[in-house]
């Protein structure tokens, strides 16, 4: 029996690789002769670098960059096993978890550090990039990223803008003369799992600003600033991307990448599955086990487990999802190719206890699942 184990991370508890290893231990407890193929996955957010570096036999690297509030931090990125492709998580340099709750302010948070990671990849001679843009602390439209790569964002007096999304209301001109010329020859694939436009009621500021610390007044201010940014960037680049699906992702970083590079936006899980060779492996599998920290109605909109299931269904391979918890609308995934969904929590538990015991709970749940599979084989 060949079983593919392809889970996302249980965020805040167990990495995608840790989840896969715990599931493997549980499966082998019941089916010791099973052939197990572990493919940790992600959808562009936390864990994307680790998942792809692990799956492809790549290398994880570290780089000192400006954090979202301008302080120096050590961020990470990776090179895939092909030795030609960089994998970058913007959250590693510009992510929300990097800022304590009491200091979160999307008016001043910048994506400058993300641009520095891109420059590090260019300096290493890499001309292919995968950039995951989940988990941002920012709302600057990718302006900081562009500045780190040589663009100048100027006010009406010809002065450089201060970092952050609020300053974009003062933007009067963008000078691209110093933009890194290597970007023109670089293929950039952006892993994006949302379809929001840059501005408006479904835009970056209105939908995601509040979780980054924005008040209703700030949301209005930031939305106006991004609209001004989009107008001037369109004039300079000739690109009209503000209403593109995903332009509002990561506080508008999706739009910034479209404006200033030759990037393409695709669902993150599709990029990850493609890079790991998942399709070829799934064709020969008997069972696929996936999972994530919480499964609810949002999962059906294309998160990692559903991406796995859609590929598996091309070959009629059954898929089971083991999740840390089941929320409202979890059954919607049953219409998206997942055949069964189970929580790993066997009894009422406080959240802190679940997080602490994540690996043990996952392993035990895999054992329970395989015992049920044993019964099914006898019926």
């Amino acid at each position: 029996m060949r079983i593919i184990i392809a889970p996302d991370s249980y965020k805040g508890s167990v990495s995608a690789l840790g989840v896969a290893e715990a599931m493997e231990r549980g499966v082998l407890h019941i089916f010791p002769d099973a052939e197990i193929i572990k493919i940790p996955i992600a959808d562009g957010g936390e864990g994307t670098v680790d998942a792809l570096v692990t799956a492809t036999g790549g290398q994880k690297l570290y780089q000192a960059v400006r954090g979202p509030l301008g302080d120096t931090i050590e961020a990470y990125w990776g090179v895939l096993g092909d030795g030609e492709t960089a994998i970058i998580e913007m959250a590693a340099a510009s992510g929300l978890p990097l800022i304590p709750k009491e200091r979160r302010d999307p008016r001043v948070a910048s994506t400058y550090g993300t641009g520095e990671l891109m420059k590090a990849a260019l300096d290493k001679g890499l001309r292919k990039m995968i950039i995951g843009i989940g988990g941002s602390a920012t709302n600057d439209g990718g302006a900081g990223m562009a500045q780190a790569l040589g663009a100048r964002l100027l006010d009406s007096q010809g002065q450089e803008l201060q970092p952050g999304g609020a300053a974009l209301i003062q933007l009067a001109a963008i000078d691209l003369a110093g933009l890194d010329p290597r970007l023109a020859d670089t293929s950039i694939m952006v892993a994006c799992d949302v379809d929001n436009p840059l501005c408006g009621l479904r835009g970056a500021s209105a939908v995601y600003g509040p979780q980054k610390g924005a008040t209703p007044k700030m949301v209005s201010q930031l939305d106006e600033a991004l609209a001004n940014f989009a107008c001037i960037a369109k004039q300079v680049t000739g690109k009209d991307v503000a209403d593109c699906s995903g332009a509002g992702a990561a506080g508008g970083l999706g739009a910034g990448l479209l404006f200033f590079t030759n990037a393409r936006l695709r669902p993150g899980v599709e990029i990850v599955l493609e890079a790991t060779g998942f399709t070829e492996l799934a064709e020969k599998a008997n069972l696929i086990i996936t999972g994530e920290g919480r499964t609810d109605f949002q999962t059906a909109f294309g998160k990692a487990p559903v991406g796995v299931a859609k590929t598996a269904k091309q070959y009629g391979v059954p898929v089971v999802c083991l999740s840390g918890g089941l929320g409202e609308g979890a059954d919607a995934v049953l219409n998206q190719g997942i055949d069964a969904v189970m929580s790993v929590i066997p009894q009422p538990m406080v959240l802190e206890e679940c997080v602490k015991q994540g690996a043990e709970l996952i392993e035990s749940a895999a054992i329970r699942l395989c015992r049920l599979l044993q019964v099914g084989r006898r019926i």
Side-chain angles (χ1 to χ4, degrees):
M1 178 164 49
R2 174 178 289 185
I3 299 175
I4 293 178
I5 297 177
D8 199 348
S9 65
Y10 283 30
K11 291 180 175 61
S13 178
V14 188
S15 69
L17 177 59
V19 174
E21 290 173 340
M23 290 179 173
E24 179 183 41
R25 290 192 297 271
V27 170
L28 292 177
H29 185 82
I30 303 300
F31 298 121
D33 297 327
E35 178 186 353
I36 307 294
I37 301 172
K38 299 189 297 294
I39 308 176
I41 59 169
D43 56 13
E46 175 189 342
T48 301
V49 168
D50 286 334
L52 286 179
V53 165
T54 299
T56 65
Q59 180 184 14
K60 190 172 182 179
L61 303 171
Y62 295 86
Q63 178 75 28
V65 301
R66 289 189 203 175
L69 296 184
D71 47 337
T72 300
I73 64 170
E74 186 176 61
Y76 58 84
W77 61 290
V79 181
L80 300 192
D82 62 7
E84 300 177 351
T85 307
I87 172 65
I88 293 169
E89 283 177 30
M90 75 85 62
S94 314
L96 194 61
L98 298 174
I99 307 178
K101 287 185 179 181
E102 65 274 10
R103 295 184 62 201
R104 291 176 182 174
D105 187 344
R107 294 174 298 178
V108 298
S110 170
T111 53
Y112 195 95
T114 297
E116 290 182 297
L117 290 183
M118 294 171 65
K119 185 176 184 301
L122 293 171
D123 290 344
K124 200 171 178 66
L126 303 175
R127 297 298 180 265
K128 296 179 182 178
M129 296 186 196
I130 297 172
I131 304 177
I133 61 173
S136 72
T138 55
N139 206 96
D140 73 347
M145 174 271 300
Q147 289 172 313
L149 291 165
R152 299 180 69 217
L153 277 66
L154 309 172
D155 63 19
S156 59
Q157 305 301 313
Q159 300 298 310
E160 287 274 0
L161 294 187
Q162 293 297 309
L168 294 173
I169 195 65
Q170 302 169 15
L171 181 66
I174 300 175
D175 180 358
L176 297 182
L179 187 67
D180 197 315
R182 297 173 295 181
L183 290 170
D185 299 319
T186 302
S187 171
I188 299 177
M189 195 70 67
V190 181
C192 173
D193 64 353
V194 301
D195 62 359
N196 305 77
L198 184 62
C199 302
L201 294 178
R202 293 190 62 251
S205 307
V207 176
Y208 303 109
Q211 70 191 39
K212 303 172 186 180
T215 64
K217 183 178 180 180
M218 290 181 197
V219 166
S220 178
Q221 176 188 7
L222 290 166
D223 192 58
E224 185 179 356
L226 283 180
N228 182 54
F229 169 69
C231 180
I232 295 174
K234 176 184 174 181
Q235 294 172 8
V236 173
T237 66
K239 299 178 182 179
D240 187 3
V241 306
D243 291 328
C244 290
S245 177
L253 178 59
L257 287 163
L258 290 172
F259 275 130
F260 302 114
T261 77
N262 60 10
R264 292 175 52 211
L265 273 57
R266 289 180 57 196
V269 68
E270 289 184 8
I271 295 175
V272 172
L273 293 177
E274 183 177 290
T276 58
F278 179 82
T279 298
E280 293 76 11
L281 294 170
E283 184 177 5
K284 300 175 183 178
N286 301 112
L287 172 69
I288 295 174
I289 303 174
T290 186
E292 61 182 343
R294 178 180 171 83
T295 296
D296 56 24
F297 69 94
Q298 298 180 75
T299 303
F301 294 148
K303 289 196 173 184
V306 164
V308 167
K310 286 185 175 179
T311 299
K313 287 303 127 180
Q314 298 176 32
Y315 308 107
V317 181
V319 179
V320 178
C321 180
L322 293 181
S323 296
L326 303 180
E328 181 180 355
D331 285 351
V333 302
L334 301 178
N335 297 320
Q336 301 294 327
I338 292 176
D339 297 285
V341 59
M342 295 172 52
S343 171
V344 304
I345 302 172
Q347 61 196 29
M349 300 174 67
V350 298
L351 178 59
E352 293 77 9
E353 187 179 357
C354 295
V355 169
K356 185 177 180 180
Q357 299 180 25
E360 292 85 354
L361 292 170
I362 294 164
E363 181 178 344
S364 295
I367 291 173
R368 293 195 301 275
L369 167 63
C370 290
R371 291 194 188 281
L372 288 173
L373 292 176
Q374 276 187 323
V375 172
R377 294 171 74 178
R378 298 204 304 263
I379 293 176

